[in-house]
Amino acid sequence: MSLYADEIIRFSSVLKMSYNLIAGREELKRLKLREKKHLISVALPFSDLIYGFPNLVPVFPIRMHVFKISKYLSLLGSSASLFGWDNVSKFLGYVKNMGINEVNKVIDQIIDDVIETLNEKYNEMFDIGVERGISSDFCFALKTLVGMYVTKSKNVSANMNYSIRCSAWNKYLESLKAIDGNVKQIWLDIPPRNIGNALELLIENLSDVIHQLETLSGNSYNQNIMRDHFKVANQIKQDYKTILYDIGTSDFYPCNPATFSEVLALLSISFQDYNSNAKRYAENIHQMVNEMRERIRKGIGMDVSEMPKVLVTPMFGGWEPQTHEIIYELGGRALYADWDVLRFLDEVPISNTTNPIEAYAKFLLNITENGVGCDNNTLTNSYIRVAEKTKVDGVVFNQLFGCHSISNCFTLLKEKTRKDLEIPAIALTFNRIGENLEQVKTRLGAFMEMLT
Ligand code: SF4
């Protein structure tokens, strides 16, 4: 897969983000043991409230694991702390250009292994979740989350639990106490619909969560810190949407389209906890936009105008990561846009005078009504909205084994894509990474023939 490595090393922002995602363990250890900060486990993009307290650190638990390439990435990280990421990236590009095979192989391996090593770890977590006795009816996401929790709960002080529409998700959250009774479970109940006094109720629930976080952190809640964080989060969302909609829909990409999909996959995973440092993440993603624009401006990249675009969704709960590579080999390009389908990329309506908790409550009610918590009809409309915005030529729907909620609207979606957008849609089934590869290739082959 040196195809990606060749390009990724020239994006210092992507290198940096990959490093922070995969080699975060040492940093998290330092934050916990030396700086005495509390790690708080989060899943789905529900980390925002934690950023209201500087001595609390949100973490998507898989990032506490050792990955087999951590040591190589750590070397890159050490070089970067001396010379800066831009110089490391330039240096790697220079070395690649020299064409020394052995060195090239090592560089390729470091980069290729970022996504591959993550996938291996996901499968390992899946197996641990199954061994732990989680119902076989649960989806890939929940099995892996149980695996992450079983292996890493000892490092966290609390787990942040947002209840959403999916009953399996809520059952999973309820089961966490039995796995590790020492970890504090902090619950945020989101009223199901924006009716009656839902906003007041949610503000009350949020205030209660804030109070629990205050107790944990030993510090008082400070409106200004929370407000500043939401502003940072909104900047991240703007840049994310720029990459997805401005660059992702253009006719000229700053890199190979399979690399571009890989970057979208990286964003999708890391967006959940902003790699435990929202300000750094905001800088990285902004730099990513600039680097992409600069390459486009210089004509470095690839003309993709003849390559049909395919929206592959949902993938946040587990998907076959080779999908975008297969689509690329078949002449197309894949886009991943789950967080916008689920409305997590909508901004928190914050200003210098608004109450941050009230603003966040409005944001959560919006995603509940129109995104992650909404009914199948509304959710289908959200898939259609994103398919329309990304101007895709087809939709590949990822049906997760065991998901009776979010990935359960294929029939409706297929009907609407045909009628409203006049584009085709197919469903692929998914249980575990690598399990169904041949079928995925065959189904995508037939599908792409319709588009090319
Ligand atoms: S909505 Fe589906 S994919 Fe998400 S947690 Fe629930 S069952 Fe799993």
Side-chain angles (χ1 to χ4, degrees), residues 62 74 88 159 189 213 262 268 274 358 425 429:
I62 205 165
S74 295
V88 169
N159 191 53
D189 279 324
L213 292 173
E262 200 104 322
S268 177
Y274 306 127
E358 194 177 322
T429 50

Side-chain angles (χ1 to χ4, degrees), residues 8 13-23 73 114 266:
I8 282 180
S13 53
V14 178
L15 262 185
K16 234 189 295 185
M17 203 177 271
S18 307
Y19 172 76
N20 293 333
L21 175 70
I22 298 278
L73 272 176
V114 170
L266 175 70

Side-chain angles (χ1 to χ4, degrees), residues 358-430:
E358 194 177 322
Y360 190 51
K362 286 181 181 160
F363 165 81
L364 289 175
L365 281 182
N366 173 43
I367 64 170
T368 303
E369 228 187 328
N370 302 306
V372 72
C374 65
D375 58 86
N376 278 358
N377 199 22
T378 314
L379 186 59
T380 306
N381 290 339
S382 196
Y383 285 121
I384 297 289
R385 171 182 61 83
V386 171
E388 214 169 1
K389 260 172 94 179
T390 44
K391 305 182 195 115
V392 287
D393 304 283
V395 175
V396 171
F397 193 77
N398 183 39
Q399 260 177 334
L400 261 81
F401 173 82
C403 178
H404 305 289
S405 183
I406 274 171
S407 46
N408 205 18
C409 33
F410 180 62
T411 315
L412 199 56
L413 179 68
K414 191 172 180 183
E415 185 65 19
K416 286 202 177 192
T417 46
R418 191 177 54 80
K419 269 199 189 148
D420 300 358
L421 306 180
E422 297 176 353
I423 58 171
I426 53 156
L428 299 176
T429 50
F430 174 81

